[in-house]
Amino acid sequence: MTQPDRGDQPSRDDEAGPDPRFAVLPAGRPGKVVAVHLSYLSRAQQRGRRPAAPSYFLKPSSSLAAGGGTVERPAGTELLAFEGEIALVIAKPARRVPADRAWGYVAHITAANDLGLYDLRANDKGSNVRSKGGDGFTPLGPALIDAADLDERALRVRTWVNGQLAQEGTTDGLLFPLSQIVADLSQHFTLETGDLILTGTPAGSSVVAPGDVVEVEVDVVAGAATGASTGRLVTTVLQGEHPFDPALGSGPAVDDTQREEAWGSRAAAGLPQRSGADDAHGVLPDDLPDNLRDKLERTPVAALSGQLRKRGLNNVTIDGVTSNHSDRKLVGLARTLRFVPNREDLFASHGGGYNAQKRIFDAVAPGEVIVIEARGETGSGTLGDILAIRAHARGAAGIVTDGGVRDHDAVTAVGLPVYSRGAHPAVLGRKHVPWEVDVTIACGGTTVQPGDVIVGDADGVLVLPRALAEEVVDAALAQEREDAWIAEQVAAGHPVDGLFPMNAEWRARYTAHNEQG
C-alpha cells in the first residue's frame, strides 16, 4: 500500500495500532527481505542467460504493503513491472543449515509481488536498491500457508493483470530448489525469525500502467495440502505526482534494453526484432519467433544436420527413435525429464505422488517438446495415453523418448507427434524412477539441454543449439534451393560429375539463374 508523504507527521512508532504493512506476518516487521534474481527456467530462457548458482539482492522492509492497496508509478517514469512470487517466512534462526534440513526452517509461504521500476535500474548495477525499494513495491499476503506438511516441489504461483492470466509457474520449474536457497543464504548470514525470502518469478512479467490491477496467488497443487491457497493479493497501480529531483541524484533513464527486459520481449515493447547476430549478444526470446518456427517447419532434418556438420557438430541426432506420426513435423524448445534405473527404495520415495514425470507434463508450455532420458531402455513404458492427452491439452509440440511407450495406439490417436523406441505394455516402475526435470540429459546418444531446439521428421530427430538456429536454418534453406536446381539439371540429362557438387562452370550457371530471378 502506498504510504503518504508524511512531512512532519509522526512516525508509525508514535501511532496507535499495528502497522498494516506487516499485519500478515506473525512476527511483524521482518529484519531482512531477501530476493532471488533468476530462479525459474522459464524466466532464464526469456532472459537468455542461465545462472550456475542463485544470486540475491535485499529489499527494505519499508517496501512491504498489505493486499488490497495501491502502488504509485512515479511521475516521469514508464516501466513499472510486476513479478508474482512465492515468499518464504523464516520460522527460526538458521545458520549453516544443510539443504536436506532447510525446509524445516520455513514457517509459512505466502504470495508476493516484487514490483520494480526499470527506469532506475541503470545506476543500481544489480543491487536494485532504488528500482525495487520504493514504498509499496512489495505487496504481501493476503494469507499464510503453513509450510510444515508441504512438498516444496508442488507449489504454484499465478499472476493476473486486469483479470487476464499473465504468469503461471510451479516450483518444479525452479533452477534452484527452495530448500537450496534457504541453505545457501544461511551459509552467508543468519536468517532470523520472521525474515522473508522472495523466491523469484517465472516468465510472463511485464509492464503495468496506472489503472491496472495486479493479482498474485500461491497455491498447493499436490500432496496433503492440495488446494491450500493464499488467496489473491490485489494491488492497483496509480499515477504518482512527485517527480525525482535530478539535483539530488541520478534520475530515470530508459533505453531499448530496459524496455525489452521490462516488457518481456522486443515485440511486447513495440521494438523491431533483432537480427540473428544481435541475438548472440542480446536477449534470446523464451519461445521461437513465428518466422523462425515457420522456416524450421519447412526445412528437412537432413538439411539441418548437414549444416551443423559443416559447423563441427556431428553428435546432434537422437538415434534409434521413430515417430508415431511420420507425416508430421516436430519443432519446439526442449523441456527435459530424466529417469534413473529402478531401485525399489528410490521408486518408493520418488515414483509416487506428484513425481517429476507428472510435474513436467503439467508444466509443459505451448510449442515445447518434452524430451525424456530413458537410457535406451525399451523394457518399459515412459509415458501412456493419459500423459499424452495432458501434453496435448497444454499445447506441447511433441514428445521424444529413447524408451518405450505404453498404450501406443491410444497415444497415437491423441494426435501428438511422439518419437520413441517402440511400444511396451509395462508400467514405469519396472525399469525407471522419475528423477528430475529441466536439467541437461542424454537422449538417444546425444546431449539435450533445456531450451535447445528440437526438430523432427520422418528421417529422425535433431538437437539444434538455440543460438545457432537462425544461422543454420537460413543456410539449410539456401542449400535446399541449390539442391533442387541441381536435381532439375540431372533430371534434364546432365551428368552428376561436376554438377554435384558444382564446379566453377556450374556454379556460374547457378549464380546467373538466381540473378535472373
Side-chain angles (χ1 to χ4, degrees), residues 4 6 36 42 45 85 101 121 145 182 197 226 271 310 340 353 374 392 427 442 451 462 468 470 482 497 508:
R6 297 188 179 278
V36 184
S42 62
Q45 290 175 335
E85 305 200 6
R101 293 198 294 112
R121 287 206 335 170
I145 301 175
V182 174
I197 302 174
T226 299
L271 300 171
K310 290 180 179 179
V340 298
H392 187 263
V427 295
L462 187 76
L468 292 177
E470 193 87 44
E482 181 176 306
D497 185 35

Side-chain angles (χ1 to χ4, degrees), residues 33 37 41 64 70 86 106 120 145 150 169 199 237 250 282 321 338 372 391 425 432 462 471 489 500 503 508:
V33 181
H37 280 112
L41 174 65
L64 295 184
T70 61
I86 298 168
V106 179
L120 297 178
I145 301 175
L150 298 183
T199 59
V237 182
S250 59
V321 300
R338 178 174 172 243
I372 302 172
H432 305 295
L462 187 76
E471 171 191 336
Q489 308 315 306
F500 186 63
N503 59 23

Side-chain angles (χ1 to χ4, degrees), residues 190-386:
T190 300
L191 292 169
E192 299 172 307
T193 304
D195 282 351
L196 287 177
I197 302 174
L198 309 185
T199 59
T201 197
S205 165
S206 193
V207 172
V208 285
D212 287 340
V213 178
V214 185
E215 300 172 272
V216 182
E217 180 182 14
V218 172
D219 62 351
V220 183
V221 294
T226 299
S229 169
T230 62
R232 293 200 184 185
L233 171 68
V234 181
T235 305
T236 302
V237 182
L238 302 180
Q239 178 60 57
E241 299 178 356
H242 304 288
F244 294 102
D245 185 350
L248 299 177
S250 59
V254 172
D255 58 21
D256 285 353
T257 297
Q258 299 301 341
R259 290 189 177 94
E260 180 179 350
E261 293 216 342
W263 282 95
S265 70
R266 296 184 66 81
L271 300 171
Q273 291 297 307
R274 295 180 185 272
S275 68
D278 287 339
D279 270 348
H281 304 287
V283 178
L284 296 178
D286 62 333
D287 194 4
L288 294 173
D290 289 342
N291 63 333
L292 176 56
R293 185 180 291 273
D294 175 69
K295 289 189 287 187
L296 288 167
E297 288 175 347
R298 291 188 285 114
T299 308
V301 164
L304 295 170
S305 176
Q307 292 302 320
L308 286 170
R309 187 170 61 251
K310 290 180 179 179
R311 289 157 178 79
L313 293 174
N314 294 302
N315 298 303
V316 288
T317 55
I318 296 179
D319 295 335
V321 300
T322 56
S323 178
N324 61 348
H325 289 284
S326 58
D327 59 332
R328 298 273 300 278
K329 190 69 176 284
L330 173 66
V331 176
L333 295 179
R335 296 289 300 273
T336 60
L337 167 62
R338 178 174 172 243
F339 291 147
V340 298
N342 186 31
R343 205 178 83 186
E344 288 76 6
D345 60 324
L346 295 180
F347 193 86
S349 62
H350 288 76
Y354 198 51
N355 61 36
Q357 181 195 45
K358 294 176 182 177
R359 294 198 305 271
I360 198 163
F361 276 84
D362 265 350
V364 65
E368 293 180 334
V369 178
I370 297 175
V371 184
I372 302 172
E373 174 184 334
R375 309 173 313 285
E377 173 56 67
T378 60
S380 176
T382 57
L383 72 142
D385 59 340
I386 298 299

